[in-house]
Amino acid sequence: MNRDLIVNLVIFALLVAVALGAHVAGQGFTVTLATKAAILGLAGVGLNLALGYGGLVSFGHAAFFGIGGYVTGIFASHAANGDPILTLPFTLMGSNEMLGIWPMAMLAAALAALLIGALSLRTSGVYFIMVTLAFAQMIYYFAISWPRYGGEDGLSFYVRNSFPGLNTFDPIQYFAICAGLLALALLFTAVVTQSRFGLALQATRQNEQRSTAVGIRATPVRLTAFVLSAMITALAGALYADLNRFVSPSMFSWHMSGEIMVFVILGGVGRLCGPVAGAAVFILLEHLLGPVSDHWQALLGLMLLAIVLFAPGGLIGLTLKALRRTEHG
Amino acid sequence: MADPILSIRGLKKSFGALTATDDVSLDLFPGEIHALIGPNGAGKSTLIKQIVGEIRPNEGTIRFEGQVIDRLDAAARARLGLARSFQVSSVIPDFTVLQNVMLAVAGADGHVFRFHRPALSDRTLTEPARFHIAHAGLSGREGTRASVLSHGERRKLEIAMALALRPRAFLLDEPMAGMGLEGAKQLTAILSDLRSEAPILLVEHDMDAVFALADRISVLVYGRIIATGSVAEIRANPEVRRSYLGEEA
Ligand SMILES: Nc1ncnc2c1ncn2[C@@H]1O[C@H](COP(=O)(O)OP(=O)(O)OP(=O)(O)O)[C@@H](O)[C@H]1O
Ligand SMILES: [Mg+2]
């Protein structure tokens, strides 16, 4: 087994161990923290496909996170009050089945990503960052001014959606759902990045001119990665909505986009489990230092700075380097 | 004579006031090495870039195997078999030699949107890739990252990538640049061999290589072709001696 794989497995196993340990010790709150880490890690795994493997610095992934959340909230609230979501062009009823809601959330995000990607991929570098940010901000203001689904106040739904055979209210069972989807997304990313498509995607990141010279157009490859990436992040948004039984426009805010990017950079850009490690450390810091001081984010900022300057491989890169050093004496 | 593989007529390109390509017409015939020589800034690279579709000419037309390709983008032209190497070598730095050539195989067969099967265990990619690596003289280096290759090895990698395109014509921009004497000799032998795969339009400053390899030579000065002919004709041409070869003598 190679070292990368071991590190990835260990990170995932640690997350599961923390949740199980907390469950056995009767600490439901810690289980919920681990669930949050799995969900935010999943959002980062989505972004990592575009950012880490494709070099697409999207500063608008909150748009997809929020879309996933709102689709969940809207379906759940309509399921509660019995009104259809749509009557034209077809009748669409609410639902509280996760298995029905997730595909809808991912489909909605895919359509949004297709549009946003098609326009933003005409630009590159700092303009790409700005265009993706602008789209997310547009959706943010739209959500704020859409009274039907709570506007600024957000939208609560009182019952967590259901999953066949499981009690989603039990923290450890909900964790199992989130960790399961995280594992699937990691597997998906591992497979896709090793495929022909993954080869092309990583080539266009490193040298677009060379890719073109061997007959590969960068834009369709990038757009595909962007859409897949958005779908994964939307799934995380759907899980996040169910975790809190609440969605609000802040899911669309640029802070959220920034946080998702922080998970990726902290953990290691283009490392499979990087975003999971990043999200876990983020939540740990928030939980341990947040109550002590409101300025815990300053410490986070310092950490980020140190990583960007001295360890661009992130926490995973550092770990791998340390392992290599101990192995070689 | 047979029909040309590549046929350029009346090509013009200016950058502001500078005319980098000035009414250039040129043919590349099956089996030949056609060298394009000329002083620095004559417009050789600019001409190559127009042929591969990286930049658009202002006027003129390019036919490739009888088909007008003026409206095709660079990726489409590459898939038709216009294989190019760059003046400054250009590879995917974090990929291994094998992955670089596999990328070219995938680009050439056009099946990039496959998400499932690991590329490294796809024998329709790895087998041709290994074959072309051997052909370019890089056997044994398959697992080496491109960024740590020596300059000469990177040149060979570019040749292997060009071969993987199942080329119908090679466009090589100064493949000998920075190679050293021994490397240049080796590469001359490889290029001489390539001629049997597809004709070569060879931009080169190394006159020993040009005279050893070329069937025909065109001389480009200030964006204009001032002479085309055999090695002997070009060596004897007084205008060429004055404007180009004369500088070296
Ligand atoms: N994109 C561009 N914009 C403006 N001018 C350009 C551009 N590309 C090339 N030129 C100019 O066009 C002329 C021809 O350049 P080109 O690179 O084609 O020369 P070359 O014959 O390949 O030279 P060398 O032997 O040094 O490689 C030069 O004067 C160059 O400065
Ligand atoms: Mg040049």
Side-chain angles (χ1 to χ4, degrees):
Chain A
M1 255 197 317
N2 70 36
R3 228 184 264 118
D4 284 41
L5 182 60
I6 296 174
V7 169
N8 287 325
L9 287 176
V10 166
I11 289 170
F12 190 81
L14 269 176
L15 184 66
V16 173
V18 166
L20 281 179
H23 172 68
V24 171
Q27 294 178 329
F29 179 68
T30 308
V31 176
T32 299
L33 276 187
T35 308
K36 201 174 160 191
I39 294 172
L40 294 181
L42 178 64
V45 169
L47 177 62
N48 201 24
L49 188 60
L51 174 88
Y53 297 96
L56 305 172
V57 186
S58 165
F59 199 18
H61 258 51
F64 311 124
F65 190 70
I67 285 173
Y70 268 79
V71 167
T72 305
I74 289 169
F75 269 92
S77 64
H78 280 274
N81 65 25
D83 294 339
I85 300 172
L86 288 178
T87 47
L88 282 170
F90 51 87
T91 306
L92 185 61
M93 297 302 288
S95 162
N96 47 28
E97 283 293 337
M98 287 181 185
L99 289 179
I101 294 173
W102 293 340
M104 292 298 168
M106 292 168 81
L107 182 69
L111 292 175
L114 208 55
L115 181 73
I116 296 175
L119 292 167
S120 59
L121 283 169
R122 293 161 173 263
T123 66
S124 60
V126 96
Y127 296 100
F128 180 81
I129 301 176
M130 286 298 131
V131 174
T132 50
L133 172 64
F135 273 108
Q137 287 300 97
M138 274 164 52
I139 301 180
Y140 171 72
Y141 286 113
F142 178 75
I144 280 189
S145 55
W146 198 18
R148 172 136 191 229
Y149 294 114
E152 214 169 340
D153 299 329
L155 174 65
S156 297
F157 48 103
Y158 298 98
V159 186
R160 192 173 280 166
N161 293 306
S162 56
F163 189 93
L166 290 180
N167 171 11
T168 56
F169 283 101
D170 179 9
I172 194 69
Q173 295 194 40
Y174 192 57
F175 172 82
I177 292 174
C178 297
L181 286 179
L182 175 62
L184 281 179
L186 289 169
L187 196 67
F188 175 80
T189 307
V191 167
V192 163
T193 53
Q194 311 262 340
S195 70
R196 277 176 182 245
F197 175 78
L199 204 66
L201 179 65
Q202 293 172 76
T204 57
R205 180 189 83 231
Q206 295 180 55
N207 189 341
E208 176 172 353
Q209 190 191 37
R210 174 35 98 183
S211 311
T212 310
V214 295
I216 295 170
R217 281 192 196 95
T219 305
V221 171
R222 288 178 175 150
L223 186 57
T224 306
F226 193 71
V227 169
L228 293 174
S229 155
M231 290 168 77
I232 297 174
T233 299
L235 184 58
L239 294 175
Y240 199 67
D242 256 326
L243 179 71
N244 302 317
R245 277 160 288 153
F246 172 65
V247 292
S248 80
S250 68
M251 284 182 87
F252 289 113
S253 75
W254 65 270
H255 294 101
M256 192 68 227
S257 292
E259 271 180 27
I260 302 175
M261 203 183 284
V262 166
F263 307 149
V264 175
I265 296 172
L266 200 60
V269 175
R271 311 278 179 166
L272 188 60
C273 268
V276 183
V281 168
F282 184 95
I283 286 163
L284 203 65
L285 284 180
E286 184 182 46
H287 177 64
L288 292 180
L289 301 178
V292 182
S293 156
D294 283 343
H295 301 304
W296 72 274
Q297 296 223 354
L299 184 80
L300 179 73
L302 270 180
M303 261 181 89
L304 265 182
L305 205 62
I307 286 203
V308 170
L309 289 177
F310 305 113
L315 297 171
I316 300 222
L318 276 177
T319 311
L320 284 171
K321 206 184 266 181
L323 284 178
R324 222 168 290 144
R325 208 166 290 155
T326 47
E327 244 168 60
H328 295 144
Chain B
M1 218 180 216
D3 289 335
I5 300 265
L6 180 70
S7 163
I8 298 166
R9 288 295 171 269
L11 216 60
K12 279 193 188 153
K13 175 76 189 175
S14 27
F15 298 113
L18 175 87
T19 305
T21 307
D22 191 0
D23 197 15
V24 167
S25 298
L26 174 150
D27 289 313
L28 184 65
F29 289 101
E32 79 168 339
I33 294 185
H34 188 154
L36 185 65
I37 63 172
N40 290 111
K44 303 180 295 293
S45 297
T46 304
L47 181 59
I48 300 267
K49 285 176 193 161
Q50 292 169 84
I51 300 173
V52 298
E54 189 178 308
I55 59 180
R56 301 265 149 172
N58 302 121
E59 278 177 43
T61 191
I62 303 173
R63 286 170 174 276
F64 184 54
E65 304 207 281
Q67 177 193 355
V68 174
I69 57 168
D70 297 334
R71 305 178 77 99
L72 298 182
D73 70 5
R77 293 185 198 191
R79 283 211 289 271
L80 287 180
L82 261 175
R84 165 206 201 176
S85 81
F86 294 84
Q87 180 164 355
V88 177
S89 56
S90 173
V91 295
I92 312 295
D94 287 347
F95 280 13
T96 61
V97 166
L98 183 64
Q99 285 172 320
N100 266 283
V101 184
M102 284 164 57
L103 181 77
V105 176
D109 73 18
H111 299 300
V112 164
F113 291 91
R114 289 189 183 168
F115 302 87
H116 181 64
R117 188 156 163 209
L120 279 170
S121 60
D122 181 348
R123 290 174 55 181
T124 61
L125 287 183
T126 54
E127 270 176 13
R130 285 180 198 284
F131 175 79
H132 299 305
I133 289 169
H135 194 165
L138 268 180
S139 291
R141 300 293 268 163
E142 287 85 352
T144 309
R145 263 173 46 148
S147 59
V148 304
L149 291 178
S150 72
H151 179 77
E153 288 175 320
R154 214 169 301 163
R155 283 290 181 209
K156 290 181 186 168
L157 174 54
E158 292 204 272
I159 303 273
M161 292 174 87
L163 284 167
L165 285 178
R166 279 182 267 119
R168 305 291 301 149
F170 292 104
L171 307 166
L172 307 182
D173 197 352
E174 298 196 32
M176 306 284 174
M179 282 292 265
L181 208 59
E182 197 45 44
K185 248 191 215 155
Q186 268 188 30
L187 197 54
T188 304
I190 292 175
L191 294 190
S192 171
D193 217 40
L194 280 191
R195 179 179 358 207
S196 61
E197 304 276 332
I200 304 176
L201 183 64
L202 175 68
V203 172
E204 192 46 70
H205 278 297
D206 179 337
M207 282 304 138
D208 291 337
V210 167
F211 290 145
L213 287 168
D215 301 299
R216 290 193 303 149
I217 301 177
S218 289
V219 185
L220 196 68
V221 178
Y222 293 122
R224 254 174 191 288
I225 294 191
I226 61 165
T228 297
S230 68
V231 173
E233 282 162 357
I234 292 300
R235 282 182 127 154
N237 184 314
E239 197 184 350
V240 174
R241 296 181 79 107
R242 198 168 346 105
S243 62
Y244 185 51
L245 295 178
E247 297 173 352
E248 297 197 335

